[in-house]
Amino acid sequence: MASAKRKARRPRPAPPPWLGSWLRSARGKKHQSEIAKVLGWDVSRVCRVELGRLTFDAGELPKVLDAYGLTPRQFELELARAA
């Protein structure tokens, strides 16, 4: 019998506690479906990110910020404020 090799998942670091609510407030009147479409994600993933239950890869940050209408500078300022 051949056993299937499973790729071990490395746990992702927990997102900063403020990230989800910050993104949610920045979304404004946009619907989560609009954000999901831009990012190529499911709406449920957007929801989980905004609730702080899921994170994303750091390489995705510029695209996420752009989808929410935020700049890297705004993120840096929020990061410094939260520290």
Side-chain angles (χ1 to χ4, degrees), residues 18-61:
W18 54 266
L19 181 62
S21 61
W22 183 65
L23 290 173
R24 185 173 49 250
S25 66
R27 180 166 44 88
K29 295 190 183 270
K30 285 185 184 177
H31 293 279
Q32 287 179 333
S33 59
E34 294 176 65
I35 301 294
K37 185 175 181 179
V38 171
L39 294 173
W41 293 355
D42 292 329
V43 174
S44 64
R45 183 173 180 193
V46 173
C47 181
R48 287 180 285 153
V49 166
E50 289 184 0
L51 291 173
R53 295 181 182 157
L54 183 69
T55 190
F56 47 86
D57 294 324
E60 294 177 287
L61 182 60

Side-chain angles (χ1 to χ4, degrees), residues 47-83:
C47 181
R48 287 180 285 153
V49 166
E50 289 184 0
L51 291 173
R53 295 181 182 157
L54 183 69
T55 190
F56 47 86
D57 294 324
E60 294 177 287
L61 182 60
K63 190 173 180 179
V64 171
L65 293 176
D66 188 51
Y68 280 86
L70 297 165
T71 66
R73 181 67 180 147
Q74 287 173 301
F75 177 77
E76 290 170 5
L77 291 171
E78 187 65 19
L79 185 63
R81 189 185 71 74

